[in-house]
Amino acid sequence: MTFRYRSIATAAALSLVSSVLIGVANAADPVPIPVKAKPNPVADLPFFFVIDDRVSFSWMPKGTDPGMFTVKPGGGIEGTTARQVYSFTHFDAWAYGTNFFNIMLLKSGHNDPASPCVAPGVTITGGFGNCAGETDIYGLFRSTFGWNQIFNTKAFSIGPLHNISFEVGMDGNLQNIFLAPTKRDVVAGLQFAFDLPYKGYFNVAPLAYWEFSNHYAFTQCGLFGPGIAGVTCNADGNVNYNPTWAVETNYYMDLGFLPENMQFFSISGRAGWYGPKGDFNNLPALSGVGRFSTASKIEFNSEPIRLTFDASKAFVGPKYSHFVDLWVAYRYWQNKFGLDRNAMPGVCTIAATGQSTNSCTESTVYGGVTVKF
């Protein structure tokens, strides 16, 4: 996610005031000596002129985790799980750009079990195990460096275009499922920031994306026999992927067209597209075609709209705007983590039949509360 700030221009002017020399006709009159006035003290500017920290709690009734599903007695498949989400978000702005950091803890229900279960009710040994829901910790940061600020110009503010920035960032996660993923990726590129009505904004960032490290326990040598490292198994379960492309967008706008006594609402959203990054197994002997393919696909991760109610402004006053927000949103995530929802046997589809496990696409309405501190 990328974020934009409105640059704050601060200028201090100091003037020297001299005494006025009054000319007189008599040359013998003494001439007053000019006195320099003391300049007014200028307050030091803080290094960060915007700092915004928030915590959130939300509940997601139909989250998914690829490969985690239950076959119902009638033959249907349940691939969703309820999730509690706890998150901390930090945003700041300084002289040359912005920094955004977010870390989330997601706690799943029993349909998305922790290790040693490899599926709901089934351990790695094949025996029964009523494993607790897994815990996923996911963090990311994005930093921008504005061209207007770097080059001390307004040349990159044209019409609705507010600024162009360099952008860099990184993502990482940990999950206590048997797969034991440890995703690490970096992004770099540009951000184009546009103004929207009612103090809103729309940002779009074309980026280079590289997931340079991850871990998949099921491909590790020794799990299902010795194997041949690099052909039928990975020596230590670690994998890396090809660099690819990404596009990240986000927007925000107050609903300023509402009557003044109802101006407590805003909308926001985001979307990210991530290109194919290679074969998930990275193992020639385990690659397939068609529905047996393990190649990655374009990933689309979005929250098209979030409706926010500024509860603190409504009940306490404008001075406390956005100190407490209540919100509801829709989330849609296709080819989750780049997994092909129509292939990846045993994960996104049933290996024997090709039936979807309904676990590689996430579509859910969810809601929460956010508190600023």
Side-chain angles (χ1 to χ4, degrees):
M1 276 176 293
T2 54
F3 287 77
R4 182 187 62 80
Y5 71 102
R6 292 185 176 275
S7 58
I8 301 174
T10 303
L14 299 177
S15 61
L16 299 179
V17 180
S18 299
S19 299
V20 178
L21 301 181
I22 303 175
V24 291
N26 190 337
D29 288 345
V31 177
I33 300 174
V35 178
K36 183 184 294 184
K38 294 182 179 180
N40 294 325
V42 179
D44 292 334
L45 288 177
F47 186 84
F48 297 107
F49 32 74
V50 175
I51 297 179
D52 189 293
D53 294 317
R54 299 169 187 256
V55 292
S56 297
F57 169 78
S58 58
W59 184 70
M60 188 180 299
K62 292 186 176 295
T64 63
D65 193 6
M68 296 299 176
F69 59 93
T70 301
V71 178
K72 300 177 182 178
I77 292 178
E78 179 57 72
T80 66
T81 182
R83 278 185 152 180
Q84 302 171 51
V85 185
Y86 307 84
S87 60
F88 166 78
T89 300
H90 168 84
F91 173 81
D92 65 63
W94 63 300
Y96 290 97
T98 64
N99 300 292
F100 172 78
F101 172 75
N102 182 59
I103 187 165
M104 298 183 295
L105 186 152
L106 302 95
K107 178 63 177 176
S108 295
H110 285 74
N111 209 43
D112 180 19
S115 182
C117 284
V118 294
V122 182
T123 68
I124 184 60
T125 63
F128 173 77
N130 185 26
C131 297
E134 64 101 358
T135 300
D136 180 6
I137 298 176
Y138 196 101
L140 67 87
F141 79 85
R142 297 288 186 269
S143 294
T144 64
F145 303 88
W147 289 10
N148 280 334
Q149 288 73 33
I150 293 173
F151 301 110
N152 192 26
T153 181
K154 294 183 179 180
F156 303 104
S157 297
I158 305 171
L161 178 65
H162 182 82
N163 203 354
I164 302 175
S165 304
F166 295 115
E167 180 173 334
V168 296
M170 186 174 183
D171 298 54
N173 89 311
L174 292 169
Q175 285 180 271
N176 64 347
I177 58 176
F178 186 81
L179 193 68
T182 55
K183 175 184 176 181
R184 303 289 185 272
D185 72 61
V186 291
V187 298
L190 299 177
Q191 175 187 267
F192 297 85
F194 298 89
D195 290 325
L196 291 179
Y198 307 110
K199 301 179 181 180
Y201 63 82
F202 172 73
N203 299 332
V204 57
L207 304 166
Y209 173 95
W210 183 29
E211 188 174 327
F212 61 88
S213 178
N214 212 324
H215 179 269
Y216 290 106
F218 286 108
T219 66
Q220 184 164 336
C221 294
L223 183 62
F224 301 109
I228 303 172
V231 179
T232 63
C233 61
N234 289 308
D236 55 5
N238 289 331
V239 293
N240 56 68
Y241 300 102
N242 301 327
T244 186
W245 56 268
V247 177
E248 296 181 342
T249 68
N250 66 87
Y251 75 90
Y252 173 90
M253 188 177 73
D254 290 326
L255 299 186
F257 54 82
L258 295 174
E260 187 173 354
N261 61 352
M262 294 181 60
Q263 290 185 10
F264 312 123
F265 297 92
S266 60
I267 57 172
S268 58
R270 60 171 181 79
W273 293 263
Y274 304 89
K277 52 192 177 185
D279 193 284
F280 268 93
N281 289 321
N282 282 341
L283 300 169
L286 297 183
S287 297
V289 296
R291 70 178 184 85
F292 296 101
S293 171
T294 56
S296 59
K297 293 293 183 180
I298 294 176
E299 174 185 358
F300 176 55
N301 184 350
S302 70
E303 186 180 288
I305 189 166
R306 174 183 292 201
L307 177 64
T308 297
F309 171 62
D310 189 345
S312 53
K313 179 181 179 181
F315 297 113
V316 184
K319 181 179 178 181
Y320 298 95
S321 181
H322 291 298
F323 273 68
V324 178
D325 286 337
L326 305 176
W327 51 267
V328 61
Y330 172 66
R331 179 183 176 99
Y332 182 75
W333 194 346
Q334 187 182 86
N335 295 332
K336 197 167 183 179
F337 305 125
L339 295 158
D340 187 349
R341 68 190 189 282
N342 297 316
M344 288 297 296
V347 180
C348 299
T349 60
I350 303 294
T353 64
Q355 182 182 4
S356 175
T357 64
N358 303 318
S359 65
C360 292
T361 295
E362 190 168 84
S363 177
T364 183
V365 174
Y366 72 117
V369 56
T370 298
V371 178
K372 180 180 178 179
F373 64 94

